[in-house]
Amino acid sequence: MVDDKERNMKCLTFFLMLPETVKNRSKKSSKKTNPSSSSSSSSNSSSKLPPVCYEIITLKTKKKKKMAADIFPRKKPASSSSTTVQQYHQQNLSNNNLIPAPNWQGLYPTIRERNAVMFNNDLMADVHFVVGPPGGTQRLPGHKYVLAVGSSVFHAMFYGELAEDKDEIRIPDVDPAAFLAMLKYIYCDEIDLAADTVLATLYAAKKYIVPHLARACVNFLETSLSAKNACVLLSQSCLFEEPDLTQRCWEVIDAQAELALKSEGFCDIDFQTLESILRRETLNAKEIVVFEAALNWAEVECQRQDLALSIENKRKVLGKALYLIRIPTMALDDFANGAAQSGVLTLNETNDIFLWYTAAKKPELQFVSKARKGLVPQRCHRFQSCAYRSNQWRYRGRCDSIQFAVDKRVFIAGFGLYGSSCGSAEYSAKIELKRQGVVLGQNLSKYFSDGSSSTFPVWFEYPVQIEPDTFYTASVILDGNELSYFGQEGMTEVQCGKVTVQFQCSSDSTNGTGVQGGQIPELIFYA
């Protein structure tokens, strides 16, 4: 314990460091407290410290600083006399502002919550925005200081050297819903994105240099990326200069090319994006599908340019992009029954391509005659060995199933399956891929096994997109020779290139397949 004398010395040191006014105030306070004992208090060093010294010592103690929200815990205000932040948000989305309750500032402990009340609120607004194209505008209130803190563009607009003192600013190139989403982020520090407005919000965030909101938009687009919207997002990602999103779009388009080319979104892309897709070497699609997709795009482009839907106009809008379609690499049946009868090719072009297929001396063509490389599938083998026995592996309509998860996005193209252990045989296989009970892909096909212990591929109609860190169920029902090879010494984790695959048993498996042994030895995928 520190004795009273030492504590008095410390107290005196702090007291001497105080401003003169504080010293005098403390002396006066001491005299008022005990006017008759001034001499005794100075002579007795072991007496209790003056109250002012205790206050100084208390202030010296280092304590963790608390935020306003910690000091004043948020209380739910009474419904009859106040409005919550959420209620303000809801009413402000439609610019339906109510008169705030008296002393509304006292209802919210943090600056963030008080700021949020001003979101889309005419109260104290010193600028208004007329947002949207003619005929679809919306007038939105703003507060220059808040906007300038959230965006360097708004700062330059309101406080820069060339700032204009306007009460109303017109923004015809931004969607009102997207502008509201940006304002909500600036005022409330909340990101509220929707699939139908995220691209417009990204445009607004880029225009007004709100980088964190832009990054959130890109992340949203990446997680919702699929073959249906990959072509449109590719076009937008190039426009917004987002290379990571561009790369992710190409991964989907390459692996699920036929689905992407048949999607409605493909017809909405610009000409430059069309050319880049038709030029793509790793496009994993039949050339007849590429040709038909280009004609569909040309038809919609004619409508956009108010041109009559004629063969001549389709060829006109395609321009030189037509020669990026590798028509000579089509199967002869596809060319004869499709491209040759489309009317888009001239008579000379049709004759030359037919000669290309049949003649020893092939004519020169304007079309690219080298087939696309496509994608090389990878195989993840989960067994270290295989075997066969006289009483295994039997198929009587029962299901072989296994669950798996990956650490990177991949596209499952099919499964590798074992075949007969008793010589050549043909199998009918129904393969299926599910996630949480929902079927993502399935196919019924046949494959021929030559009696070896090799695996035989069975493909889905289209590759199935697999997201990371989620378990999927791979299943197969085989019908054929009851005795086949089966895997053993199974692994729970397999490293396949840059992809790590984990396996676990599936409750759907009724024929004995599990992690340690059974069927479905391989996953075939693109990455």
Side-chain angles (χ1 to χ4, degrees), residues 105-121:
Q105 294 90 339
L107 300 177
Y108 310 102
T110 66
I111 186 64
R112 175 181 174 273
E113 291 175 298
R114 292 191 292 275
N115 230 29
V117 176
M118 293 295 99
F119 164 57
N120 200 17
N121 197 328

Side-chain angles (χ1 to χ4, degrees), residues 309-511:
L309 291 179
S310 63
I311 298 297
E312 293 76 13
N313 285 335
K314 287 183 181 180
R315 177 156 181 144
K316 177 183 177 181
V317 296
L318 281 173
K320 293 183 178 180
L322 177 65
Y323 297 110
L324 298 175
I325 306 172
R326 307 186 183 193
I327 294 177
T329 68
M330 291 181 184
L332 181 57
D333 288 346
D334 289 339
F335 173 72
N337 297 317
Q341 299 187 40
S342 65
V344 174
L345 304 179
T346 65
L347 184 59
N348 288 337
E349 289 170 343
T350 303
N351 290 337
D352 286 345
I353 295 173
F354 266 121
L355 289 174
W356 176 270
Y357 282 108
T358 57
K361 185 178 179 181
K362 301 183 183 302
E364 291 186 4
L365 300 174
Q366 287 184 277
F367 296 92
V368 179
S369 56
K370 184 180 179 181
R372 302 178 196 271
K373 293 180 180 179
L375 293 178
V376 178
Q378 300 183 44
R379 293 173 179 254
C380 175
H381 197 91
R382 66 188 188 94
F383 295 125
Q384 299 182 67
S385 64
C386 67
Y388 68 92
R389 300 192 186 104
S390 59
N391 60 342
Q392 291 182 336
W393 200 265
R394 295 182 179 275
Y395 306 104
R396 295 177 180 175
R398 292 190 292 262
C399 178
D400 288 288
S401 183
I402 191 71
Q403 288 192 332
F404 69 94
V406 295
D407 64 341
K408 291 181 176 62
R409 175 182 287 176
V410 299
F411 302 87
I412 296 293
F415 305 146
L417 303 177
Y418 286 123
S420 171
S421 59
C422 302
S424 301
E426 187 178 62
Y427 284 90
S428 174
K430 179 184 178 181
I431 59 174
E432 192 174 71
L433 195 58
K434 294 189 295 185
R435 176 183 179 181
Q436 298 177 348
V438 178
V439 177
L440 304 177
Q442 61 181 7
N443 197 21
L444 179 63
S445 61
K446 294 182 178 181
Y447 70 95
F448 181 81
S449 75
D450 57 8
S452 70
S453 60
S454 303
T455 59
F456 302 92
V458 180
W459 307 94
F460 288 104
E461 184 178 5
Y462 302 109
V464 180
Q465 182 170 307
I466 303 297
E467 297 299 332
D469 305 322
T470 301
F471 273 95
Y472 293 78
T473 303
S475 303
V476 60
I477 298 176
L478 289 169
D479 184 19
N481 194 323
E482 290 190 353
L483 298 179
S484 78
Y485 289 92
F486 62 92
Q488 56 187 9
E489 299 181 276
M491 296 174 285
T492 57
E493 183 173 301
V494 179
Q495 187 69 34
C496 189
K498 296 182 179 180
V499 180
T500 302
V501 187
Q502 293 180 320
F503 294 96
Q504 69 180 22
C505 293
S506 169
S507 59
D508 292 349
S509 189
T510 58
N511 199 43

Side-chain angles (χ1 to χ4, degrees), residues 135-357:
T137 60
Q138 189 172 346
R139 193 170 187 267
L140 304 174
H143 307 78
K144 293 181 179 179
Y145 166 74
V146 179
L147 295 170
V149 169
S151 162
S152 59
V153 174
F154 283 128
H155 181 272
M157 187 184 297
F158 300 135
Y159 301 104
E161 295 180 359
L162 301 178
E164 297 182 10
D165 189 16
K166 291 183 178 180
D167 294 332
E168 189 172 275
I169 299 173
R170 296 187 176 275
I171 308 176
D173 59 327
V174 177
D175 181 74
F179 196 80
L180 269 174
M182 182 181 68
L183 291 184
K184 188 173 184 179
Y185 171 75
I186 292 175
Y187 278 80
C188 312
D189 199 24
E190 293 181 13
I191 297 175
D192 187 11
L193 301 175
D196 55 343
T197 59
V198 63
L199 280 173
T201 305
L202 176 59
Y203 174 76
K206 288 280 188 176
K207 177 176 180 178
Y208 292 97
I209 312 179
V210 187
H212 297 292
L213 178 60
R215 185 67 251 171
C217 291
V218 172
N219 291 338
F220 183 94
L221 291 171
E222 287 182 354
T223 56
S224 60
L225 183 61
S226 69
K228 293 181 179 179
N229 59 19
C231 295
V232 172
L233 294 184
L234 175 67
S235 175
Q236 297 299 315
S237 66
C238 295
L239 176 65
F240 295 134
E241 297 181 348
E242 289 290 342
D244 292 341
L245 180 58
T246 300
Q247 180 58 32
R248 297 298 294 273
C249 290
W250 277 126
E251 290 173 3
V252 174
I253 293 171
D254 282 342
Q256 297 181 300
E258 294 193 1
L259 284 175
L261 293 173
K262 291 178 180 179
S263 67
E264 293 182 5
F266 178 79
C267 295
D268 295 329
I269 61 177
D270 58 274
F271 184 76
Q272 281 187 320
T273 305
L274 173 71
E275 283 188 309
S276 65
I277 292 176
L278 296 182
R279 192 179 286 112
R280 189 75 173 172
E281 187 69 29
T282 50
L283 208 60
N284 206 35
K286 295 179 181 178
E287 208 61 33
I288 185 62
V289 175
V290 179
F291 178 80
E292 291 172 350
L295 291 188
N296 291 335
W297 179 90
E299 183 175 332
V300 176
E301 183 64 16
C302 286
Q303 295 173 357
R304 283 192 287 261
Q305 297 186 22
D306 294 326
L307 299 175
L309 291 179
S310 63
I311 298 297
E312 293 76 13
N313 285 335
K314 287 183 181 180
R315 177 156 181 144
K316 177 183 177 181
V317 296
L318 281 173
K320 293 183 178 180
L322 177 65
Y323 297 110
L324 298 175
I325 306 172
R326 307 186 183 193
I327 294 177
T329 68
M330 291 181 184
L332 181 57
D333 288 346
D334 289 339
F335 173 72
N337 297 317
Q341 299 187 40
S342 65
V344 174
L345 304 179
T346 65
L347 184 59
N348 288 337
E349 289 170 343
T350 303
N351 290 337
D352 286 345
I353 295 173
F354 266 121
L355 289 174
W356 176 270
Y357 282 108

